[in-house]
Each structure stands twice: as structure tokens, then as C-alpha cells.
């Protein structure tokens, strides 16, 4: 009976510890504050405007301009870019227009969209057009020959790709936002980069180079791997205690009568 009580007490204690661990991670994520809105966009990779995850951005531009924002994505994250273009009055336009978002990594390699609508045609009388692109999970390490997304600065580029010449220069209003989710420990790989892929520190790249996660590159201590590791340790300990209780037996050895 005493062994049973020990096993039960051990299970309750470790279960409470696991609940506290997951609760701490959840509260840390809930404490994050939404950053203020950005009201401009760059016109090239070098002048891309810094944008944090979940931060809203707007920009007044002319039809035909290239608009750039730079944002950080760390290992284990799945990022999705969202863009909406408020089009000019229908009476001022002469034909439909096709808009597109492209995403590039820190090496300026174009990244494929896993999901979303990166290209869309807006009718002449449409008031707006919305685009999106969900990237693959960012890996902490990759072979040099691979095109896997790696931690670092990413670039969102928004522009029109098909437009009648008479509509060039008409005013538009662009809105952009980047969201990200944690893919979890199941997507983690061994190995890591020496440094994230970010722009150089030259004077013409300081705006984009300033983009990094709130807690630094790979600075977050929490990962679902911690939970699974802790759970595995608890189960192993419980199995060991239970096995010991079963093999030990519940009774004391019989006393041998004296004189035999």
C-alpha cells in the first residue's frame, strides 16, 4: 500500500509540473503586444521598410510602383504574407489589372508559396484586390545546394504585373501584414546556421537590417520538444517505479520456526 501511495503522489506532482510548464508558455505568448502600424513602404530591396510579425502596414503609392517590406522569420515558423490594394475609382481606369506578391529570403531567392493566392486579376470596376502567400516552414539548417527557407530577413514585394499603359501612375493604397505560426518540434531538425540570413550593415541597408524577432534570433526558450521530452521522462520514471512495486511483492518473507 505504501508503494502505491508513493506512485500516486509522484504522478500528481509531475503532472502539476507539466501543467505549470505549458501554462507558462501560453501566458508568455499571450503577453505579446501588437506593434504599431507602419505607414510607408520601400521601393527596392535596399530600402525595404522594416515590418514585424503581426504588424500592420499601409502605403500610398502609384500604380506601377514596386513596394517592399522586410520582416523576420525564425526557425520553426510558418509565415503568411497578406496584401490588399485599394484601387482607384473605376471611372478613372481603362481595363482590368493583375497584381502579385513575391517573397524573397535573405539571399534574395524567391520562395514558393505553399498556399494562398499570390497573383490575382482585378476587374476594371473592382474596388480592391487581396493577395496572400503562405511559405514553407523555416528550417534551422539546410544543405548548401537546397532552396529551403532559412532563418533571417524576408522581403515582401507587391506590384502590378499586367496593366494598360493609360492606367500607369494612378494613385493606390496598399495594406500589408505578415502572420506566423509555430510548426512545433515535429518540424525541428538537428543543426543550425552560424548567423541568420540578414542584409549587410551598410548605410543603405540599415532599415531592413534592423528587423529581427522580439526575443532575438532563435531566442525563444520554449519548444514543444521540451514538453515531449518532459513527458517521456515522467512516463519512464512512472514505469520504473511501477515495475519495482510489482516485482518487489507485497508481503514479508515467512519466518522459519526455530529448532527445525
Amino acid at each position: 500500500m505504501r508503494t502505491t501511495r508513493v506512485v500516486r503522489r509522484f504522478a500528481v506532482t509531475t503532472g502539476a509540473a507539466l501543467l505549470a510548464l505549458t501554462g507558462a508558455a501560453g501566458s508568455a505568448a499571450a503577453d505579446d503586444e501588437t506593434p504599431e502600424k507602419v505607414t510607408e513602404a520601400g521601393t527596392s530591396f535596399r530600402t525595404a521598410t522594416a515590418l514585424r510579425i503581426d504588424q500592420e502596414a499601409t502605403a500610398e503609392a502609384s500604380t506601377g510602383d514596386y513596394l517592399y517590406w522586410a520582416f523576420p522569420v525564425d526557425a520553426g515558423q510558418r509565415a503568411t504574407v497578406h496584401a490588399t490594394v485599394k484601387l482607384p475609382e473605376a471611372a478613372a481606369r481603362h481595363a482590368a489589372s493583375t497584381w502579385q506578391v513575391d517573397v524573397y529570403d535573405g539571399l534574395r531567392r524567391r520562395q514558393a508559396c505553399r498556399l494562398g493566392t499570390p497573383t490575382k486579376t482585378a476587374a476594371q470596376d473592382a474596388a480592391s484586390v487581396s493577395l496572400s502567400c503562405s511559405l514553407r516552414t523555416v528550417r534551422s539548417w539546410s544543405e548548401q545546394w537546397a532552396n529551403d527557407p532559412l532563418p533571417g530577413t524576408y522581403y515582401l514585394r507587391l506590384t502590378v504585373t499586367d496593366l494598360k499603359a493609360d492606367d500607369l501612375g494612378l494613385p493606390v493604397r496598399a495594406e500589408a501584414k505578415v502572420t506566423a505560426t509555430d510548426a512545433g518540434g515535429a518540424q525541428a531538425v538537428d543543426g543550425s546556421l552560424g548567423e541568420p540570413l540578414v542584409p549587410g550593415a551598410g548605410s543603405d541597408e540599415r532599415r531592413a537590417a534592423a528587423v529581427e524577432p522580439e526575443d532575438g534570433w532563435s531566442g525563444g526558450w520554449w519548444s514543444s520538444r521540451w514538453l515531449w521530452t518532459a513527458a517521456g521522462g515522467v512516463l519512464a520514471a512512472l514505469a520504473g517505479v511501477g515495475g519495482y512495486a510489482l516485482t518487489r511483492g507485497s508481503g514479508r518473507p515467512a519466518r522459519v520456526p526455530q529448532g527445525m
Side-chain angles (χ1 to χ4, degrees), residues 71 78-82 114-115 132-135 177-181:
F71 58 95
R78 289 174 178 163
T80 300
V81 302
H82 311 265
R114 184 174 58 91
L115 296 170
S132 65
C133 174
S134 295
L135 303 178
K177 185 177 181 179
V178 181
T179 59
T181 58

Side-chain angles (χ1 to χ4, degrees), residues 3 10 18 21 43 50 53 72 84 94 98 100 110 119 125 152 156 161 163 169 179 199 214 219 224 248 253 258:
T3 302
F10 183 75
L18 285 175
L21 189 62
T43 56
I53 300 298
T84 299
H94 298 82
T98 302
Q100 182 170 304
R110 187 174 181 274
T119 303
D125 59 349
L156 162 59
T161 59
L163 182 74
T179 59
E214 292 285 349
S224 60
R248 182 187 178 201
Q258 295 182 359

Side-chain angles (χ1 to χ4, degrees), residues 49-63:
T49 298
L51 187 65
R52 294 192 180 279
I53 300 298
D54 292 327
Q55 188 175 24
E56 295 181 353
T58 61
E60 304 292 338
S62 298
T63 306

Side-chain angles (χ1 to χ4, degrees), residues 11-33:
V12 171
T13 302
T14 51
L18 285 175
L19 288 175
L21 189 62
T22 55
S27 62
D31 289 340
D32 292 342
E33 297 182 357

Side-chain angles (χ1 to χ4, degrees), residues 162-251:
D162 187 13
L163 182 74
K164 193 168 183 176
D166 293 341
D167 291 341
L168 280 173
L170 293 177
V172 294
R173 176 182 174 86
E175 300 175 356
K177 185 177 181 179
V178 181
T179 59
T181 58
D182 188 356
Q187 297 293 325
V189 298
D190 294 331
S192 62
L193 295 180
E195 295 290 341
L197 303 178
V198 299
S203 58
D204 57 351
E205 294 189 6
R206 278 180 289 185
R207 297 171 69 191
V211 186
E212 66 176 45
E214 292 285 349
D215 53 358
W217 294 107
S218 299
W221 63 272
W222 174 254
S223 168
S224 60
R225 276 192 168 188
W226 287 96
L227 179 60
W228 290 111
T229 301
V234 170
L235 292 177
L238 289 175
V241 174
Y244 173 76
L246 292 175
T247 57
R248 182 187 178 201
S250 58

Side-chain angles (χ1 to χ4, degrees), residues 31-206:
D31 289 340
D32 292 342
E33 297 182 357
T34 303
E36 297 181 357
K37 183 179 292 186
V38 171
T39 57
E40 61 179 345
T43 56
S44 68
F45 285 106
R46 293 180 179 274
T47 61
T49 298
L51 187 65
R52 294 192 180 279
I53 300 298
D54 292 327
Q55 188 175 24
E56 295 181 353
T58 61
E60 304 292 338
S62 298
T63 306
D65 289 346
Y66 284 85
L67 303 180
Y68 288 80
W69 290 274
F71 58 95
V73 188
D74 210 349
Q77 289 186 318
R78 289 174 178 163
T80 300
V81 302
H82 311 265
T84 299
V85 182
K86 305 293 184 180
L87 300 171
E89 293 293 333
R93 308 200 309 263
H94 298 82
S97 56
T98 302
W99 296 80
Q100 182 170 304
V101 290
D102 297 295
V103 182
Y104 299 84
D105 65 9
L107 298 178
R108 299 184 185 178
R109 302 176 302 181
R110 187 174 181 274
Q111 293 295 313
C113 298
R114 184 174 58 91
L115 296 170
T117 308
T119 303
K120 193 172 184 179
T121 298
Q124 180 181 346
D125 59 349
S128 64
V129 58
S130 296
L131 309 165
S132 65
C133 174
S134 295
L135 303 178
R136 293 172 294 164
T137 303
V138 172
R139 298 165 58 88
S140 61
W141 180 86
S142 177
E143 297 287 353
Q144 294 182 358
W145 48 262
N147 193 36
D148 295 323
L150 296 169
T153 299
Y154 282 72
Y155 298 91
L156 162 59
R157 184 178 73 181
L158 170 65
T159 191
V160 62
T161 59
D162 187 13
L163 182 74
K164 193 168 183 176
D166 293 341
D167 291 341
L168 280 173
L170 293 177
V172 294
R173 176 182 174 86
E175 300 175 356
K177 185 177 181 179
V178 181
T179 59
T181 58
D182 188 356
Q187 297 293 325
V189 298
D190 294 331
S192 62
L193 295 180
E195 295 290 341
L197 303 178
V198 299
S203 58
D204 57 351
E205 294 189 6
R206 278 180 289 185

